[in-house]
Amino acid sequence: MAQFMMYVSKKAYLIIFLMIICCLPGHALAKVKGLCSNCHTMHASQKQWPGQWGNETWLRAHPQKSLLVNDCVGCHSSGSSSTNYNLGGCEVPVVLYTGAGQPTSYLAGGNFWWVKEGLGGEDTKGHNVFLGEDDDSLPEAPGNSVGSCGTDACHINLSEQYSGPDMVFVLNGKYGCQGCHLNARHHANDHPNGESGLVDSADKGWYRFLSGHGFTGEGVKGYEYKDWEAGHPNLAPGGTAHNEYIGDAAATGYGFSQSGGAGDGVTAFCTGCHGDFSHGGQGSSSPWEMHPSDAKIPNSGEYADAFGAGYDPLVPVARTSLPSSDPSKVDIGTDLVQCLSCHRPHGSPYFKLMRWDYKNWPGGGDNKCTVCHTTKK
């Protein structure tokens, strides 16, 4: 009996020790914060929870890897908030609003409400990341310059589980959010939850967990604003409350390293699947066959008067270095137009993931192209 009690006591101390380590506020690597049990379950994750053990139907229906209690969208969705919510002391960004009507406020990347079947249900307005919900309008990623890694690869769609080579990050079986956020690391050594910070390395998890395949060792660099720019599309120009992006005006290829690469910004990441959108190279070199990305906004002609009210979160630019010395301004002649200047990757209310309603302009809608093309109003 004494030996049994000693065993129990040692086990109890071990459990308490592990709980303290996991839950210490400001733990160097725990950039999510709060109770471990907010995200993890110890005895019902990778295998379905037997019914006789309790009524936690969510555990029986959705066993997850890494002892998680839910998948990406499961945690990052909400029926009451369309921007962020507090989960046991940890601020969680919302990428899928599940309310009946479209969200009127959203994050910089937009919201999947507009593409999710049963909600907005319109695939032209975002990337459809939901399992089995193949894109209704496109057979593969437009501008695909990579070829095919299989019909279930992320270059083709994000709604099927990948079955090809793991590319270092053990991609087999992944789809949806993990088709872009290849190696999500909520415990990476970046800035604390609820605070802003520069994220520019693999150790920090890369900007918004956007990395290349593991064999490249590369990823997106950027400055993450603390609340994911909650409040779009009604953020006033001229403020400093926004993300900062980096671009490469000397880029000559696509992706992080293919055919000369496109730097280490968002444009490099987007062109990993959409490289032919500016065939012949991104960057400032011309002639362009399509609208350039990571091209400097010229300090001449109509462009010299661009962004008169200062940096506009509705039309974000990329910098040649991070962070900007004055993020409330746009340095004409230095800063760059990028993919995100016109598009929201998750989803937007508008055709082609646009940040404004260009399709219905003129007569209705809006034409923010004139933020740069100032004489074409």
Side-chain angles (χ1 to χ4, degrees):
M1 183 63 181
Q3 286 182 330
F4 174 76
M5 291 303 295
M6 184 178 296
Y7 169 76
V8 171
S9 178
K10 288 181 177 178
K11 190 172 184 180
Y13 281 126
L14 177 60
I15 292 174
I16 293 171
F17 173 76
L18 290 173
M19 290 180 67
I20 292 174
I21 291 296
C22 288
C23 302
L24 275 175
H27 184 269
L29 299 179
K31 300 312 174 186
V32 291
K33 61 182 180 181
L35 297 173
C36 305
S37 57
N38 287 340
C39 301
H40 300 282
T41 181
M42 296 299 101
H43 301 289
S45 181
Q46 298 177 46
K47 186 176 182 180
Q48 290 187 341
W49 177 270
Q52 66 270 27
W53 291 1
N55 295 320
E56 291 85 351
T57 54
W58 54 277
L59 286 175
R60 294 204 302 272
H62 304 288
Q64 305 293 332
K65 294 181 178 179
S66 302
L67 305 180
L68 290 168
V69 300
N70 218 323
D71 59 12
C72 304
V73 172
C75 286
H76 293 281
S77 62
S78 173
S80 58
S81 171
S82 57
T83 57
N84 54 294
Y85 70 93
N86 189 281
L87 176 64
C90 185
E91 290 300 321
V92 179
V94 173
V95 299
L96 173 64
Y97 175 61
T98 58
Q102 65 177 343
T104 56
S105 180
Y106 37 90
L107 306 179
N111 196 288
F112 290 112
W113 187 95
W114 286 282
V115 297
K116 180 75 180 80
E117 291 182 1
L119 296 176
E122 177 52 71
D123 285 338
T124 66
K125 295 181 177 180
H127 286 93
N128 195 328
V129 298
F130 301 99
L131 186 64
E133 297 186 15
D134 290 344
D135 195 293
D136 293 332
S137 60
L138 296 170
E140 65 175 34
N144 180 10
S145 54
V146 179
S148 176
C149 300
T151 57
D152 53 12
C154 61
H155 304 293
I156 304 300
N157 67 70
L158 296 170
S159 59
E160 296 182 19
Q161 293 178 307
Y162 177 63
S163 61
D166 66 22
M167 308 285 185
V168 180
F169 282 157
V170 192
L171 297 179
N172 297 87
K174 291 184 177 179
Y175 66 98
C177 304
Q178 292 177 303
C180 292
H181 306 280
L182 299 181
N183 187 28
R185 298 178 58 201
H186 287 86
H187 296 283
N189 191 25
D190 64 344
H191 55 88
N193 177 263
E195 297 182 17
S196 303
L198 185 66
V199 182
D200 56 359
S201 68
D203 182 55
K204 295 179 180 179
W206 298 117
Y207 177 83
R208 307 299 188 202
F209 307 138
L210 298 172
S211 66
H213 295 304
F215 63 81
T216 70
E218 298 175 290
V220 175
K221 299 177 181 178
Y223 178 84
E224 298 179 343
Y225 187 67
K226 59 184 179 182
D227 69 354
W228 307 274
E229 292 190 16
H232 278 268
N234 300 312
L235 298 177
T240 61
H242 56 78
N243 302 318
E244 282 284 335
Y245 307 97
I246 194 170
D248 183 1
T252 57
Y254 60 88
F256 293 109
S257 57
Q258 291 90 339
S259 301
D264 45 18
V266 170
T267 291
F269 186 84
C270 296
T271 56
C273 287
H274 305 291
D276 284 342
F277 270 177
S278 188
H279 187 65
Q282 318 304 319
S284 290
S285 62
S286 66
W288 301 295
E289 296 180 0
M290 301 182 187
H291 193 287
S293 187
D294 274 19
K296 288 185 179 181
I297 303 169
N299 190 14
S300 61
E302 63 175 343
Y303 307 104
D305 296 325
F307 292 90
Y311 189 102
D312 189 347
L314 185 62
V315 190
V317 299
R319 315 287 193 178
T320 53
S321 61
L322 291 170
S324 169
S325 58
D326 187 348
S328 68
K329 297 180 179 178
V330 175
D331 294 323
I332 304 300
T334 301
D335 293 339
L336 318 168
V337 64
Q338 57 164 339
C339 302
L340 298 184
S341 298
C342 303
H343 302 285
R344 297 190 192 276
H346 290 166
S348 87
Y350 312 118
F351 186 64
K352 300 298 185 187
L353 298 70
M354 291 290 289
R355 286 176 166 263
W356 56 88
D357 186 13
Y358 179 77
K359 183 179 180 181
N360 290 312
W361 179 87
D366 196 4
N367 180 20
K368 289 295 182 181
C369 303
T370 57
V371 169
C372 290
H373 301 278
T374 60
T375 63
K376 297 183 174 62
K377 297 180 179 177

